[in-house]
Amino acid sequence: MENNLELLINRLFPEKLPTPEELAKKYPNRQVPNGALVTRVAPSPTGFVHFGGLYASLISERLAHQSQGIFYLRIEDTDKKREVAGTADLFASAIHQYGIHYDEGPDEKGQEKGNYGPYKQSERADIYKSYIKELIRQGKAYPCFATPEELEELRARQEAMGERSGYWGHFATWRDKSLEEVFMALDQGLKPVIRFKSPGNFQTKIIINDLLLGRREMPENDQDIVIMKSDGLPTYHFAHAVDDHLMGTTHVIRGNEWFPSLPLHQQLFTALDWTAPAYAHLAPIQKLDEGKKRKLSKRKDQEANLGYYQEAGYPEEAVIEYLLNLANSNFEDWRRANPDLDKQQFPFSLKKLANSNGPLFDLNKLNDISKEIVARFSPDELYRRASVWAEKYDPETKELLNTDPEYLKKIFAIERVGALKPRKDLGRWSEIKTEIAYFFDNTFSVSPDLITTTLTELSGVEAGDIISDFLDSYNPKDNQEQWFEKLKEVGEKHGFAGNNQDYKAKPEKYHGQVGTIAKLLRILLTGRTQTPNLCLIMQVMGLERITKRLKAL
Ligand code: GLU
């Protein structure tokens, strides 16, 4: 009988495989300081980086590095049906772009670093097979030749009988087939899958511990799940157990859609004679949809796609700080108290993620954080960052930025350099175009209606006279105070009070106050009613441009 089993194993796995002993040697226990966490992120290359994937990466990275541990990247590409070819490197390049450092795994070009690889599951097929072979030998796994039609028929039968569906108990017919029957099927050229022979009983309750969800009672797993598909690659469940064991993961931090699989995963670890890692199942990021919370969805929400933030041109730091906020809501207070500290110094806490049904996504909050961060960039930095973005995403902005870099940097310096409170009007690089369009003659325009309304506010005083007096006295070298003094003088001369008090004291004496004159200038120069400081704008625009625009009236 034994010999027959060995014959079967050799027939199923004719190739030379590493032995479990060799593997144990090749993947020694990691030498990390006491209490250090080894975590990982394990994306599948589906051609899409979910915002939640960046969130989970950040959490795993923080917990590892904050404890002097290791964070690594593993590509889970064993599900060839879900895989979008050529996208395995997308995740690496995304987390690299967002400054999430990983110690081991493939880089954007697929080059691997680290001693626990390969880090792509499709390159680890022999490793999984080695353990599957061993499980078959120990009677803990078996080949199954059930066809999709038979499985469908089983499902329908179970439904009709009011039974739980799946390959379990006496429904798992290949579990008890004789070796002769198995050989016969192989002789017919059929390709089996390998199933795990579950030792569980659904009626038995077990306690499962999760670092975020706490202690939960769940039924034991009794499903004989597929651990190796007929293409020779493992399923997620099996690969998870093998990889997280060999790669020395201490904490598996993953989406809570995997929580129901924990009884199975624990069984797999026991069957393989390994200790399971600790688990922390993350609640997904939520979004308000017509007043109701729901999971941020890849199908429905553009914000679920990391590409959305890249295209809009949110600075990477903003996205990361926003995610830190979502994970640990005290980050915001910490940042306010420590505006200059590196975010790595924030004491990140896994506990703070517990008791959350999933943080609520709020684009306004991200915009605010982003504006705060952009406000701290120097004009050079802003120019450089915007250029990198424009090069990739927006030819129009690129052209604008290339037209006159020095002029651009002066524009960016307005209320930024030397300002007590730097302006916070820019949060995304995609906003630059509209924000600064008025500085350029080919993109500047002013609505005739706006001019008409403003002229009415002059109560009959000739705008041309005001402008001409203003230009006569204007000196680009004047500082803001001098500029305003001169504006007041021009105003007084034409019957506009220099401030509200004077105006209110003698309303009969004035047509209005100096703000009306400033508004006139602002509209003629920028086409807008609200802008950063007008004196600074004029200095940047230069005498020639402002004269031309003011005289165009
Ligand atoms: N490849 C799995 C996924 O994309 C990863 C789950 C895990 O982190 O273990 O959902």
Side-chain angles (χ1 to χ4, degrees), residues 339-387:
D340 298 318
L341 285 193
D342 191 319
K343 58 185 175 301
Q344 318 283 51
Q345 284 174 261
F346 169 70
F348 189 84
S349 145
L350 182 63
K351 278 205 196 87
K352 290 223 158 59
L353 281 153
N355 307 322
S356 155
N357 293 326
L360 193 58
F361 181 84
D362 177 0
L363 201 56
N364 292 330
K365 181 93 195 167
L366 169 63
N367 287 335
D368 287 348
I369 292 179
S370 203
K371 284 176 182 170
E372 291 285 338
I373 286 181
V374 175
R376 297 165 71 86
F377 287 160
S378 70
D380 278 341
E381 176 74 350
L382 209 154
Y383 182 85
R384 191 185 62 76
R385 301 276 298 254
S387 303

Side-chain angles (χ1 to χ4, degrees), residues 2 10 19 54 59 63 153 185 215 245 278 366 379 395 413 425 428 434 442 456 460 462 475 479 506:
E2 262 235 19
N10 288 334
T19 65
L54 193 66
I59 292 169
L63 292 169
E153 187 269 327
R215 275 166 68 83
H245 169 73
L366 169 63
D425 50 357
R428 290 162 270 174
T434 38
N442 55 345
T456 330
E462 268 302 313
N475 179 348
N479 64 27
K506 287 189 183 157

Side-chain angles (χ1 to χ4, degrees), residues 30 32-33 35-40 63-64 67 69-70 72 211 243-245 247-253 275-280:
R30 285 180 183 274
V32 287
L37 272 60
V38 178
T39 65
R40 85 299 191 270
L63 292 169
S67 64
I70 290 176
Y72 70 91
L211 292 171
D243 291 345
D244 282 314
H245 169 73
M247 296 178 174
T249 310
T250 62
H251 289 66
V252 168
I253 298 158
T275 311
Y279 287 93

Side-chain angles (χ1 to χ4, degrees), residues 121-278:
Q121 287 184 332
S122 58
E123 291 169 18
R124 299 171 64 80
D126 282 0
I127 299 175
Y128 308 118
K129 282 180 183 167
S130 164
Y131 292 107
I132 287 179
K133 214 168 133 173
E134 200 49 37
L135 288 182
I136 298 178
R137 187 172 281 132
Q138 295 173 12
K140 295 175 181 169
Y142 61 92
C144 167
F145 296 84
T147 62
E149 295 73 32
E150 284 165 349
L151 292 175
E152 179 48 36
E153 187 269 327
L154 170 65
R155 202 196 54 75
R157 198 149 43 92
Q158 285 169 326
E159 197 182 314
M161 288 160 59
E163 287 281 12
R164 274 182 306 118
S165 62
Y167 212 75
W168 59 273
H170 61 280
F171 295 111
T173 40
W174 278 95
R175 174 193 258 246
D176 300 316
K177 294 273 194 212
S178 67
L179 282 172
E180 285 68 28
E181 286 170 293
V182 172
F183 275 114
M184 237 152 63
L186 286 172
D187 288 342
Q188 286 168 25
L190 300 177
K191 280 199 132 221
V193 300
I194 307 295
R195 287 187 185 269
F196 175 57
K197 194 190 264 181
S198 170
N201 178 343
F202 194 73
Q203 305 312 324
T204 308
K205 298 276 185 278
I206 49 168
I207 297 292
I208 294 281
N209 280 305
D210 184 274
L211 292 171
L212 293 176
L213 300 171
R215 275 166 68 83
R216 298 272 181 107
E217 196 182 74
M218 291 171 98
E220 247 177 17
N221 170 63
D222 67 348
Q223 298 276 348
D224 284 3
I225 60 116
V226 174
I227 51 178
M228 191 182 99
K229 296 169 288 172
S230 55
D231 64 3
L233 287 172
T235 52
Y236 165 72
H237 306 292
F238 193 69
H240 149 54
V242 171
D243 291 345
D244 282 314
H245 169 73
L246 292 183
M247 296 178 174
T249 310
T250 62
H251 289 66
V252 168
I253 298 158
R254 64 184 176 187
N256 67 6
E257 71 272 21
W258 294 112
F259 182 70
S261 308
L262 253 192
L264 162 66
H265 294 170
Q266 300 218 327
Q267 263 180 1
L268 288 172
F269 276 95
T270 307
L272 290 158
D273 214 6
W274 297 332
T275 311

